[in-house]
Amino acid sequence: MNVIPISRPGRRLGTVSVANVTLAHGGGGKAMKDLIDDVFISVFNGSGPDALEDQARIDLLGLTKLGDRVAFTTDSFVVDPLFFPGGDIGKLAICGTINDLAVGGAKPLYISCAAIIEEGVPVDLLRRIARSMAETAQAAGVRIVTGDTKVVHKGACDKVFLTTTGIGVIADGINLGVDQARPGDLILVNGLLGDHGAAILGARGDMALDSPIVSDCAALHELIARLLKAAPHTRAIRDATRGGLATVLNEIADASGVSISVDEEHTPIRPEVKGFCEILGLDPLYLANEGKLVAVVPPDEAEVALQALRSDPLGRDAEIIGKAGDGESGRVTMHTVFGGVRIVDMLVGEQLPRIC
């Protein structure tokens, strides 16, 4: 939409007069203006600087008061179905962008969003997505400050694709990095794994399964701030999204040149997700999450870090699941409940249909 989504006092907003999006809504004329006004500006009102320009304008002095480095991330979101138990593509986009900033120790501040819309999509569906984005951003204390819309021919995309960019600020003294794990460090997660992946697959209905599993989609920046306050020497934090826990552990082990061993008994996965995976032949270690972090913490701060996570609703099921060692560099293993040891490789190919 190429404008900061905020209306000036007295600005007259347009209203979409048809039920479904047409190619005219991407043509740059009145139909496009009405779609932007009706769907986006009406709900993002007040979330950005008071201007209607082709860019967001951010006060640098205000940023430097919060930290000495700018964090910058971008991501795209495609999910089927668009609405699922525990969230939707709008909430997913905002939370995912916030989390990508927060795992680097940044305070998330601003988000832009570009929407690619398929011809024929109901306008009411777009309104629901925009409202969800606005509500999620407001609850997180983050501003949606600019964006863009494009309409493509029917069949050229799957209903709605969202691309977001996030900006945050990292305070002095915070230096997290995936390459900083050391032998003896402990591995923590903030709760039950695999819920998002299982919820999406269950919501599709093509598995003929009746599952009560709800996505864990959530913004983790406040939980991470709590963790870093309790354990200021935390080495690394990653959010376990596509590829799940297994992928994150392999990335950490490889980048840091350490081995990692985890204990299946202490790896929190709800019984419903385990049963779901057994039926479908999936491994819950590779299921996507949208509200779970993996933290590498020095041993002398691990217990206070665990208690800090558990003191927050988003971390009440947190566990210490494993340890970094000086074994074969990049090797990740799991001690199973049967007393054996299995190798946990990086995901190769697609374990299940792409969901985020």
Side-chain angles (χ1 to χ4, degrees):
M1 54 195 173
N2 290 332
V3 296
I4 294 173
I6 178 170
S7 92
R8 289 174 175 164
R11 182 171 187 260
R12 184 177 179 181
L13 299 182
T15 301
V16 177
S17 59
V18 296
N20 299 318
V21 174
T22 69
L23 290 176
H25 289 114
K30 184 178 186 302
M32 180 175 173
K33 174 185 176 298
D34 289 346
L35 181 72
I36 293 169
D37 285 349
D38 186 345
V39 173
F40 298 104
I41 291 180
S42 63
V43 294
F44 295 164
N45 184 34
S47 64
D50 187 14
L52 285 168
E53 305 294 345
D54 282 346
Q55 74 292 133
R57 300 173 183 183
I58 298 169
D59 176 31
L60 291 180
L61 182 60
L63 293 182
T64 58
K65 289 179 179 178
L66 297 173
D68 62 351
R69 285 160 294 163
V70 171
F72 177 72
T73 188
T74 191
D75 205 348
S76 295
F77 298 86
V78 296
V79 64
D80 179 26
L82 295 175
F83 293 81
F84 47 84
D88 56 78
I89 191 172
K91 180 180 180 181
L92 184 66
I94 299 301
C95 289
T97 308
I98 287 171
N99 293 344
D100 282 350
L101 293 169
V103 295
K107 177 180 175 60
L109 296 172
Y110 305 107
I111 290 177
S112 75
C113 180
I116 308 298
I117 305 164
E118 182 184 21
E119 176 190 11
V121 165
V123 175
D124 279 344
L125 183 144
L126 291 181
R127 292 189 183 108
R128 290 176 62 195
I129 292 171
R131 281 196 300 268
S132 178
M133 293 174 66
E135 290 167 1
T136 303
Q138 183 177 19
V142 175
R143 296 179 181 178
I144 303 172
V145 292
T146 191
D148 186 57
T149 54
K150 292 292 185 293
V151 178
V152 297
H153 288 279
K154 192 170 185 64
C157 79
D158 188 5
K159 303 180 186 70
V160 178
F161 294 164
L162 298 179
T163 296
T164 55
T165 296
I167 294 176
V169 178
I170 303 174
D172 183 37
I174 296 177
N175 292 289
L176 301 171
V178 72
D179 61 342
Q180 295 186 28
R182 300 291 179 265
D185 289 346
L186 297 181
I187 314 297
L188 290 76
V189 297
N190 66 308
L192 298 161
L193 300 164
D195 286 2
H196 180 71
I200 296 296
L201 287 173
R204 288 178 178 170
D206 53 5
M207 302 294 184
L209 295 174
D210 182 14
S211 171
I213 302 168
V214 175
S215 170
D216 62 344
C217 186
L220 298 174
H221 57 306
E222 292 182 353
L223 177 68
I224 289 172
R226 187 186 296 256
L227 168 63
L228 293 177
K229 182 177 181 180
H233 297 100
T234 295
R235 314 280 197 197
I237 305 175
R238 294 297 292 268
D239 53 338
T241 53
R242 280 177 295 167
L245 173 67
T247 295
V248 169
L249 293 178
N250 275 275
E251 289 173 348
I252 293 170
D254 184 62
S256 296
V258 298
S259 61
I260 292 178
S261 61
V262 293
D263 189 337
E264 183 178 15
E265 184 177 358
H266 292 99
T267 302
I269 302 170
R270 70 177 70 248
E272 295 90 338
V273 172
K274 290 182 179 179
F276 192 99
C277 288
E278 288 175 2
I279 292 171
L280 299 177
L282 303 175
D283 187 336
L285 296 183
Y286 296 93
L287 287 184
N289 308 271
E290 288 296 341
K292 295 298 178 293
L293 63 82
V294 180
V296 182
V297 179
D300 58 339
E301 294 184 358
E303 189 57 37
V304 293
L306 181 63
Q307 295 309 314
L309 291 175
R310 287 179 173 175
S311 68
D312 188 286
L314 294 177
R316 64 175 179 267
D317 296 312
E319 292 282 355
I320 298 174
I321 65 168
K323 187 175 183 179
D326 56 5
E328 182 180 345
S329 175
R331 176 62 60 91
V332 179
T333 57
M334 170 175 275
H335 293 271
T336 71
V337 293
F338 301 107
V341 177
R342 57 168 285 203
I343 294 174
V344 180
D345 282 328
M346 179 79 78
L347 178 64
V348 178
E350 289 285 342
Q351 187 200 25
L352 66 161
R354 189 168 183 178
I355 59 174
C356 62

